[in-house]
């Protein structure tokens, strides 16, 4: 069985199928024509109904804006005002030459309170490493 014979058999079977389909269409052509006409009429009526209904019942869309009317206000883009917690800079104030005890008190902590052993160990190890290099 060659390839040509297979192709001719397929063509014959397709021809027989379509000829049977064409006879079916010929027999029921009046019914098919009536069904097609009914579908077209229903589509036309649906189109008309939607067309007139959309004109009557308009859904409220976004408001029309004129060119002078901004779409966004400036308040939409900037954060609201918050008071500053940092005191303003006093440019006319003279710089200090030194610190008084009262000025330094909030920033001073005694390193020996609670960690005396830690600092003593660091100091001794630093001294030992220096003395190891002395000839």
């Amino acid at each position: 069985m060659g390839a040509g014979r297979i192709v001719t058999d397929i063509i014959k079977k397709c021809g027989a199928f379509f000829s049977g389909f064409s006879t079916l269409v010929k027999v029921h052509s009046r019914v098919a024509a009536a069904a097609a006409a009914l579908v077209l009429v229903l589509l036309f009526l649906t189109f008309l109904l939607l067309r007139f209904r959309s004109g009557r019942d308009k859904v409220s869309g976004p408001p029309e804006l004129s060119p002078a009317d901004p779409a966004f206000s400036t308040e939409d883009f900037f954060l609201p005002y918050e008071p500053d917690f940092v005191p303003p800079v006093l440019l006319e104030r003279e710089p200090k030459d030194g610190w008084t005890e009262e000025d330094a008190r909030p920033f001073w902590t005694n390193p020996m309170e609670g960690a005396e052993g830690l600092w003593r160990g660091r100091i001794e190890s630093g001294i030992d490493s220096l003395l190891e290099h002395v000839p």
Side-chain angles (χ1 to χ4, degrees), residues 121-131:
R122 283 187 181 179
I123 292 169
E124 288 176 357
S125 68
I127 292 172
D128 289 342
S129 66
L130 285 174
L131 291 177

Side-chain angles (χ1 to χ4, degrees), residues 62-113:
E64 296 295 324
L65 296 175
S66 67
D69 224 7
F72 298 101
S73 65
T74 55
E75 289 83 24
D76 293 338
F77 294 106
F78 297 104
L79 294 174
Y81 174 75
E82 292 184 10
D84 292 330
F85 297 106
V86 179
V89 177
L90 301 175
L91 297 176
E92 66 273 359
R93 185 173 169 184
E94 294 294 325
K96 290 185 176 184
D97 290 333
W99 288 70
T100 64
E101 186 178 331
E102 293 172 2
D103 293 336
R105 189 176 318 249
F107 305 107
W108 170 254
T109 56
N110 188 357
M112 295 306 266
E113 288 179 6

